[in-house]
C-alpha cells in the first residue's frame, strides 16, 4: 500500500490506458485531488492498480483497474476479507464479477456515483427549445456583465485563487472538502497537467474551471468555483472551457453528484447528454 503522490502518475495513467478505462473516478488527477478527503491509498502492480478509500468504510475499495491477471490477484488477496465493499464498478465490471464469482457478491446500482457527460457540440451551439433557459443566461452575461475569458496560466492562476478565496468567504462553515480539493488543484495544476479558464466580469476575476483529459475525446471538468452569485455563471464558465480546448474533445465529464440534491439538480439543469453508470458490490 502506498500514498498517492505525483511519482505514481505515470504508472496509473499507463494502466488506465491499457485497460481503456474511461471513468474520472480512477484517473490519477482525481485520485490525487481527493486523496486526503477520502483517505485514499493505492496498490500499484505491473498489471493492475487498486485504490483503498479508508473514509468510505473499514474495507472499502475502488474496483481494480487493469488486466485479467491483476484483477484476479486482487480478489485472491482481498476477496475473503470481512466487510469488503467495492465502489465505482462499470456495468462491464459488475458483469465480470458475477461471471468470475457467481453467488458470492451482492451487486447493486449506485446512481449517486454516475458520471454526467455533456456533448461539446450541443452545448456550444445551445440550439433548440430545451436550451432556452441556459441560452438566456449566457446571453445575459454577454450582454450586461462585460465578460472576458483567459486561459489558465501562472498569472491567471493567481486570479483563480482570488475566486476560490471569495467563494470560501461566502461559504463559512461549509464546503471545506471542496475548498481543499480546489486549492490542491490550483497549487499542482502544472504537475497534474490540468487545463482551464478564468472568467472575468467587468475586469474582475469572477469564476474558474479546470480539468484534465480522460481520453482522446473526453475531458474531465474537475474543479470550478464562482466568486459572485450570478445566474448562469457556472454554466458560462463550463462553456468557455469547452470553447478553449481542442475540438477533438467531443465529451465533457462533470463527474458524480454524490447523492447531493443541489448538485444533482445543477447537473441535470445543464442538460447532460449521457452518463457513465456506476455499480457497487458487497461480499456475501
Amino acid at each position: 500500500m502506498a500514498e498517492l503522490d505525483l511519482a505514481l502518475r505515470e504508472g496509473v495513467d499507463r494502466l488506465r490506458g491499457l485497460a481503456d478505462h474511461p471513468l474520472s473516478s480512477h484517473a490519477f488527477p482525481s485520485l490525487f485531488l481527493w486523496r486526503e478527503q477520502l483517505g485514499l491509498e493505492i496498490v500499484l502492480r505491473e498489471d493492475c492498480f487498486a485504490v483503498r478509500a479508508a473514509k468510505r468504510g473499514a474495507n472499502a475499495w475502488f474496483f481494480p483497474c487493469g488486466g485479467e491477471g491483476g484483477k484476479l490477484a486482487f480478489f485472491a488477496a482481498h476477496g475473503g476479507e470481512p466487510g469488503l465493499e467495492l465502489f465505482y464498478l462499470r456495468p462491464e465490471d459488475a458483469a465480470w464479477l458475477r461471471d468470475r464469482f457467481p453467488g458470492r457478491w451482492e451487486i447493486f446500482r449506485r446512481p449517486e456515483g454516475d458520471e454526467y457527460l455533456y456533448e461539446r457540440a450541443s452545448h456550444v451551439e445551445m440550439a433548440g427549445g430545451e436550451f432556452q433557459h441556459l441560452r438566456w443566461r449566457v446571453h445575459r452575461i454577454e450582454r450586461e456583465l462585460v465578460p472576458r475569458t483567459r486561459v489558465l496560466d501562472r498569472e491567471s492562476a493567481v486570479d483563480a485563487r482570488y475566486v476560490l478565496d471569495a467563494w470560501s468567504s461566502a461559504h463559512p462553515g461549509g464546503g471545506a472538502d471542496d475548498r481543499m480539493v480546489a486549492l490542491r488543484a490550483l497549487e499542482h495544476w502544472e504537475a497534474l497537467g490540468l487545463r482551464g479558464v478564468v472568467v472575468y466580469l467587468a475586469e474582475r476575476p469572477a469564476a474558474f474551471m479546470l480539468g484534465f483529459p480522460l481520453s482522446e475525446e473526453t475531458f474531465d471538468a474537475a474543479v470550478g468555483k464562482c466568486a459572485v452569485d450570478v445566474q448562469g455563471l457556472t454554466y458560462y464558465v463550463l462553456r468557455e472551457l469547452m470553447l478553449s480546448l481542442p475540438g477533438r474533445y467531443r465529451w465533457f465529464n462533470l463527474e458524480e453528484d454524490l447523492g447531493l440534491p443541489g448538485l444533482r439538480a445543477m447537473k441535470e439543469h445543464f442538460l447532460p447528454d449521457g452518463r457513465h453508470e456506476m455499480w457497487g458490490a458487497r461480499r456475501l
Side-chain angles (χ1 to χ4, degrees), residues 6 15 19 25 40 44 47 61 69 85 107 125 136 139 144 178 180 196 205 214 234 236 250-251 259 273 282:
L6 291 168
L15 289 169
S25 60
L40 302 182
L44 182 61
D47 56 352
W61 294 77
E85 186 167 6
I107 300 173
E125 293 169 9
W136 182 86
H139 290 167
E144 300 179 8
D178 272 0
M180 289 307 301
L214 277 170
T234 300
Y236 184 88
R250 177 186 175 191
W251 296 99
D273 298 286
R282 295 189 189 98

Side-chain angles (χ1 to χ4, degrees), residues 31-231:
L31 298 172
F32 182 84
L33 293 177
W34 284 93
R35 59 182 180 169
E36 293 180 16
Q37 281 63 40
L38 296 179
L40 302 182
E41 298 176 297
I42 189 168
V43 175
L44 182 61
R45 297 163 44 99
E46 182 62 27
D47 56 352
C48 186
F49 72 87
V51 176
R52 181 173 177 267
K55 295 186 180 179
R56 284 281 180 91
N59 198 11
W61 294 77
F62 293 15
F63 191 82
C65 175
E68 180 78 5
K71 289 189 289 187
L72 289 173
F74 171 85
F75 286 99
H78 300 283
E81 294 174 353
L84 179 60
E85 186 167 6
L86 301 173
F87 292 81
Y88 300 117
L89 283 72
R90 300 167 295 172
E92 55 263 47
D93 298 326
W96 184 93
L97 200 58
R98 289 191 187 99
D99 181 63
R100 300 302 187 280
F101 305 100
R104 293 169 61 181
W105 289 87
E106 176 193 3
I107 300 173
F108 49 91
R109 277 280 283 125
R110 283 193 180 275
E112 70 277 10
D114 288 0
E115 295 180 355
Y116 291 71
L117 300 172
Y118 301 78
E119 189 173 26
R120 173 198 180 102
S122 61
H123 289 271
V124 167
E125 293 169 9
M126 295 188 301
E130 65 176 339
F131 277 93
Q132 181 177 359
H133 63 295
L134 296 171
R135 191 166 58 240
W136 182 86
R137 286 170 172 79
V138 167
H139 290 167
R140 180 175 178 270
I141 289 172
E142 293 174 338
R143 185 175 63 250
E144 300 179 8
L145 300 178
V146 197
R148 176 173 67 90
T149 299
R150 181 170 175 175
V151 171
L152 186 73
D153 56 21
R154 292 186 181 182
E155 186 175 347
S156 61
V158 176
D159 293 332
R161 176 61 188 271
Y162 166 86
V163 171
L164 176 59
D165 289 343
W167 178 88
S168 300
S169 296
H171 296 79
D177 284 352
D178 272 0
R179 180 185 182 280
M180 289 307 301
V181 168
L183 180 59
R184 192 171 295 122
L186 291 175
E187 289 176 341
H188 299 285
W189 67 273
E190 290 180 286
L192 291 170
L194 304 184
R195 303 175 67 177
V197 293
V198 181
V199 168
Y200 301 78
L201 300 180
E203 296 304 316
R204 295 180 62 86
F208 73 88
M209 189 169 289
L210 64 158
F212 54 90
L214 277 170
S215 70
E216 284 298 312
E217 65 171 14
T218 304
F219 190 90
D220 187 272
V223 176
K225 289 288 177 281
C226 297
V228 292
D229 186 13
V230 172
Q231 275 195 337

Side-chain angles (χ1 to χ4, degrees), residues 8-33:
L8 300 180
R9 178 185 170 190
E10 183 178 350
V12 171
D13 286 349
R14 179 183 65 82
L15 289 169
R16 275 192 64 247
L18 290 174
D20 194 23
H21 196 290
L23 300 186
S24 170
S25 60
H26 287 62
F28 182 82
S30 289
L31 298 172
F32 182 84
L33 293 177

